[in-house]
Amino acid sequence: RFRCFDCRQTQPEPAYCGLTTLVVILNALAVDPRRSWKGPWRWYEESMLNCCIDIETVKQTGITFTTFACLAKCQGLDVNATYASDSTLQDFRRTVKETCTNSPPSQTSQPTSFLAVSYSRKMVGQTGSGHFSPIGAYDEASDNVLLLDTARFKYGPHWIPLERMFEAMMPLDPDTGKSRGYVVLSYDGRGEGSDGEGDDGLSHLPQSVLFRSNKSKDFLRREYKRYLDGVLEQGRDSGQDSIELDRVISYWTRNHTNSSFIWELVTPQLQPVDSKEIKMVNSLRCVIQKLIKMDEGGKTFNSCSLNRAIASSPGGECCTGSTCNSSARVLEVSPAEAIYIVYLGSLPSEMRKKIIYGACDELENDEIDDAVREQLLAEAALISYGFEECDVDF
C-alpha cells in the first residue's frame, strides 16, 4: 500500500479530484501511459485522461462515478465499480480488507490493486460536495480507513471510520440520480490478451500500442459515423452490409486531397522501449502492410490501391504534422496504416476476424502468432468502440 502513498499528489484544479485520484493509482500500479510526461519520462498526469470526457469540461464540472470508471478502463485497468446503494457495509469492509491488507507476493513486486471511493464530503463533516479519494490503508483495530485526499490544500491524509465512509457514499449524486460508490482498480501488466469484442460489461478495454486519441475528437467520430450509416443504408438494397475500403480511403483523405487528415482523429503512440512491445509493434505493422495489399479474398487491389491513394495525396508519408509531436519519438506510422485500422474498425466484428485470421494464415510468418492477431483485433475494436460511444455523454 505504500506505493499509493508514495505517488500521492495535489490536484491542480479544484474539480480534478477524480482525475488526480486516478493518476495517483495509475502511477502506483506502474502503468505505462505510452506517452511522454517531461523529457523522456513516462508518468501519468491529469491532461492525459481525456478519452471519455473533454479536459476543459472537467475543469468546470468534475467527473461522475461512471466517467471515472470509463477513464480507468481506457487506461487498461480492470475496473470493479460498485454503487453504494447496490452494496452493504459488510461488502465494503470485505473489499477494503482485500485491497488494503493483501500484500504483493514479494517485497520487490508491484501492488496489483487499489481502492478509490466517491463520496459526499458533507457526510464526513467536511466542506465541499462530491469528492474522489484513494484509500491508502485500513486499521482493523479501529475499523478506520485512511483517505489520501487529493485536495491537500484543504485536507491532508486522514482517518475516517469505515462505517461513516460507507454512509458518505449513499447520498444520490444530483448529476446522475444514483448513489456514489467504490472502485477496485487492478492491473497485472497486461498489454495484450483481449480483443475488445465483448459486451459493454468488459472490466477493462485493451490498450493500443499503435494509436491514441481523445474525447475532443468526438465531433470527427460523429461525422464519420453519420457517413458510415449513410453508406450502409444505401448498400442494404443491394445486400451489402459493410463499407468498402475505397470509401474509407476517400473519406479520410478528403477525397484524395489530404492524406494527413487521418492524424486529426488519431495520433501514433510513442516508440516502445520494452522488447516484447517492440516485437509486437513490428509484427503488427508487418501484418497491416500486407493486408493493405490484399482484399478480403486475398487478391491484390487493382482499382484503388491504398498505398497509391496515399502517395497521390499531399501531406507527407508519416505522422509529422502539427497534431503529432515528432520530437517525442512517436512511431513512424504511415497514413495508409492508420486508415486501414479505421477501415477494420468500420466493419462488423466477425468480418474483421475473418480478414485478420484469414490473411495471417496466408502470410505464413513465424512472428505472426495469436497474440499479434488478437492485438490487431484490439486496435480495430478500440476504433470501433470510439465510434459507438461518441454520442454518449459520460
Side-chain angles (χ1 to χ4, degrees):
R1 302 308 104 187
F2 293 112
R3 179 68 178 166
C4 196
F5 199 92
D6 288 343
C7 294
R8 67 195 179 99
Q9 62 190 64
T10 303
Q11 61 192 69
E13 295 284 343
Y16 269 19
C17 59
L19 296 188
T20 302
T21 292
L22 184 53
V23 162
V24 169
I25 292 175
L26 285 165
N27 289 328
L29 289 169
V31 181
D32 182 1
R34 304 187 181 190
R35 68 201 81 173
S36 291
W37 169 59
K38 305 283 186 181
W41 306 110
R42 299 190 187 189
W43 187 256
Y44 269 100
E45 53 101 10
E46 289 79 2
S47 67
M48 297 177 182
L49 303 177
N50 58 1
C51 53
C52 300
I53 188 170
D54 185 73
I55 204 76
E56 293 301 317
T57 301
V58 181
K59 290 181 180 179
Q60 302 299 320
T61 66
I63 61 175
T64 65
F65 188 62
T66 304
T67 305
F68 182 90
C70 173
L71 288 166
K73 287 181 182 180
C74 288
Q75 311 314 308
L77 298 183
D78 280 322
V79 178
N80 187 356
T82 304
Y83 288 104
S85 58
D86 295 334
S87 182
T88 66
L89 177 62
Q90 291 72 25
D91 291 336
F92 180 55
R93 182 178 287 110
R94 182 172 56 252
T95 300
V96 169
K97 288 181 178 180
E98 289 173 353
T99 54
C100 292
T101 62
N102 288 346
S103 301
S106 70
Q107 290 185 345
T108 57
S109 298
Q110 291 283 353
T112 58
S113 64
F114 289 104
L115 181 63
V117 288
S118 172
Y119 60 100
S120 167
R121 279 200 183 277
K122 293 179 180 179
M123 293 293 291
V124 295
Q126 299 175 351
T127 61
S129 54
H131 195 58
F132 285 88
S133 281
I135 287 186
Y138 172 64
D139 179 56
E140 190 166 7
S142 64
D143 199 31
N144 283 354
V145 293
L146 177 65
L147 292 186
L148 303 181
D149 203 315
T150 58
R152 294 195 293 172
F153 44 85
K154 291 177 64 176
Y155 303 101
H158 53 278
W159 293 94
I160 288 183
L162 184 144
E163 185 172 357
R164 185 184 300 173
M165 185 74 261
F166 182 73
E167 292 172 351
M169 294 185 286
M170 291 298 291
L172 299 184
D173 180 347
D175 291 330
T176 65
K178 298 180 179 180
S179 72
R180 294 178 169 85
Y182 54 95
V183 191
V184 178
L185 301 176
S186 306
Y187 183 69
D188 61 6
R190 171 187 54 249
E192 307 98 30
S194 171
D195 63 7
E197 298 289 351
D199 55 31
D200 291 339
L202 280 174
S203 63
H204 71 276
L205 292 174
Q207 284 187 296
S208 172
V209 299
L210 296 179
F211 305 108
R212 61 182 185 270
S213 188
N214 58 56
K215 188 69 174 176
S216 66
K217 302 299 183 180
D218 270 355
F219 73 97
L220 289 173
R221 296 185 185 93
R222 285 191 289 269
E223 289 174 1
Y224 179 68
K225 187 178 179 181
R226 285 194 292 269
Y227 170 78
L228 181 60
D229 289 344
V231 170
L232 295 179
E233 183 66 30
Q234 293 175 3
R236 286 192 181 96
D237 293 338
S238 58
Q240 184 177 338
D241 59 356
S242 62
I243 191 170
E244 296 175 338
L245 176 60
D246 292 3
R247 288 179 175 266
V248 180
I249 297 169
S250 179
Y251 186 92
W252 290 107
T253 59
R254 303 283 83 178
N255 199 25
H256 309 296
T257 62
N258 180 11
S259 66
S260 295
F261 181 65
I262 187 64
W263 303 132
E264 297 295 323
L265 177 69
V266 295
T267 302
Q269 294 277 19
L270 290 180
Q271 296 173 13
V273 293
D274 177 77
S275 59
K276 185 179 179 181
E277 284 197 5
I278 291 172
K279 182 178 179 181
M280 173 61 72
V281 167
N282 290 338
S283 297
L284 281 172
R285 295 192 63 199
C286 175
V287 174
I288 295 167
Q289 289 162 9
K290 296 289 186 181
L291 283 170
I292 286 172
K293 299 176 182 178
M294 302 168 63
D295 64 16
E296 293 88 333
K299 300 177 182 179
T300 302
F301 284 114
N302 293 316
S303 62
C304 187
S305 164
L306 179 52
N307 278 323
R308 188 161 61 249
I310 295 298
S312 65
S313 302
E317 296 186 358
C318 63
C319 182
T320 56
S322 60
T323 59
C324 300
N325 183 3
S326 58
S327 65
R329 301 180 296 108
V330 297
L331 291 172
E332 292 185 358
V333 183
S334 71
E337 293 167 76
I339 291 173
Y340 196 83
I341 292 292
V342 172
Y343 164 64
L344 291 176
S346 306
L347 300 175
S349 60
E350 288 304 315
M351 185 173 292
R352 268 182 237 151
K353 291 179 180 179
K354 181 179 178 182
I355 292 173
I356 292 172
Y357 272 85
C360 288
D361 289 342
E362 290 186 23
L363 293 177
E364 298 181 351
N365 189 324
D366 292 338
E367 294 186 356
I368 302 173
D369 55 17
D370 283 343
V372 175
R373 294 181 178 97
E374 291 302 307
Q375 184 60 37
L376 185 51
L377 282 171
E379 299 290 337
L382 285 167
I383 293 292
S384 177
Y385 180 81
F387 294 146
E388 292 170 2
E389 298 298 318
C390 65
D391 292 323
V392 176
D393 184 6
F394 289 99

